C-alpha cells in the first residue's frame, strides 16, 4: 500500500477537519476543498504548506474525491466519524471519539495538521462556495490566492 495519499492518510486529514468543525457536519465537496487548502495553505495566504506545490494540482482534486470517500469509510468503520442525510445531501460529522483521537496524536506533523485544519475551517467553512472555488482553483496560475467571490457571505 502506498502510504502517501492513501485512504488512511487522507482519512486522518479529513478527521482533522471534521474534528475542528465538530459538531458541525461537512459534505464531501467541502472536505475536498478544505483538504486541498490544508495541504497547500501557503497558496491561500495561510501558514506554510504541509506538502510541496505540484504543477498538476488540478488533477489532484479529481483523485482526492475518490480517495477521500475511501478515507471517510475508514473513519466511519473506526467509529471516528458518521454519515448523515441532510436536505442538501450526505454530510459527514466527527463523532465524540473523533476529536479525542486527534488529540492523542503527538507528532510534529500532527500538530501542523491540526493547526492547518483550524486555519482552513475558520477561514473557509461553512461559507465556501465549492463550485466556484473548484473552478477558480483549477483555472488559476500557481501561487494565486482564491478570489474573495469564492466565499459565501
Amino acid at each position: 500500500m502506498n502510504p502517501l495519499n492513501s485512504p488512511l492518510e487522507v482519512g486522518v486529514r479529513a478527521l482533522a477537519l471534521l474534528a475542528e468543525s465538530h459538531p458541525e457536519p461537512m459534505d464531501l465537496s467541502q472536505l475536498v476543498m478544505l483538504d486541498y487548502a490544508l495541504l497547500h495553505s501557503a497558496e491561500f495566504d495561510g501558514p506554510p504548506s504541509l506538502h510541496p506545490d505540484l504543477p498538476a494540482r488540478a488533477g489532484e482534486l479529481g483523485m482526492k474525491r475518490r480517495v477521500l470517500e475511501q478515507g471517510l469509510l475508514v473513519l466511519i468503520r473506526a467509529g471516528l466519524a458518521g454519515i448523515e442525510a441532510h436536505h442538501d445531501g450526505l454530510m459527514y460529522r466527527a463523532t465524540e471519539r473523533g476529536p479525542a483521537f486527534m488529540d492523542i496524536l503527538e507528532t510534529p506533523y500532527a500538530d501542523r495538521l491540526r493547526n492547518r485544519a483550524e486555519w482552513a475551517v475558520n477561514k473557509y467553512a461553512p461559507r465556501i462556495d465549492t463550485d466556484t472555488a473548484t473552478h477558480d482553483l483549477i483555472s488559476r496560475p500557481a501561487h494565486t490566492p482564491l478570489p474573495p467571490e469564492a466565499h459565501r457571505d
Side-chain angles (χ1 to χ4, degrees):
M1 170 157 79
N2 180 4
L4 297 175
N5 287 314
S6 69
L8 179 59
E9 179 190 358
V10 175
V12 170
R13 292 196 316 251
L15 182 58
L17 293 165
L18 292 171
E20 184 60 38
S21 73
H22 188 266
E24 296 300 316
M26 289 191 213
D27 67 20
L28 187 60
S29 295
Q30 287 174 307
L31 287 166
V32 167
M33 288 306 300
L34 291 174
D35 183 60
Y36 185 91
L38 176 148
L39 291 177
H40 304 289
S41 50
E43 285 186 35
F44 300 90
D45 294 330
S49 296
L50 280 177
H51 291 186
D53 291 335
L54 301 173
R57 69 174 177 265
E60 182 180 347
L61 289 176
M63 290 187 56
K64 185 179 296 294
R65 186 175 187 91
R66 183 178 51 80
V67 177
L68 186 55
E69 286 176 318
Q70 295 169 352
L72 288 164
L73 288 176
V74 170
L75 297 176
I76 291 166
R77 287 183 190 129
L80 299 172
I83 187 169
E84 306 167 356
H86 281 253
H87 65 281
D88 292 332
L90 297 178
M91 304 288 278
Y92 299 89
R93 179 190 320 263
T95 64
E96 294 299 321
R97 293 173 52 194
F101 179 82
M102 287 304 300
D103 287 343
I104 66 169
L105 300 177
E106 296 181 356
T107 65
Y109 182 83
D111 290 342
R112 290 191 305 270
L113 179 62
R114 281 190 293 270
N115 174 271
R116 296 330 180 272
E118 178 183 7
W119 169 82
V121 168
N122 289 331
K123 182 163 183 168
Y124 293 110
R127 64 190 185 281
I128 191 167
D129 177 346
T130 56
D131 290 340
T132 300
T134 301
H135 179 269
D136 290 345
L137 186 63
I138 62 176
S139 302
R140 69 192 170 97
H143 305 295
T144 306
L146 282 176
E149 61 270 11
H151 312 288
R152 290 185 193 156
D153 290 324

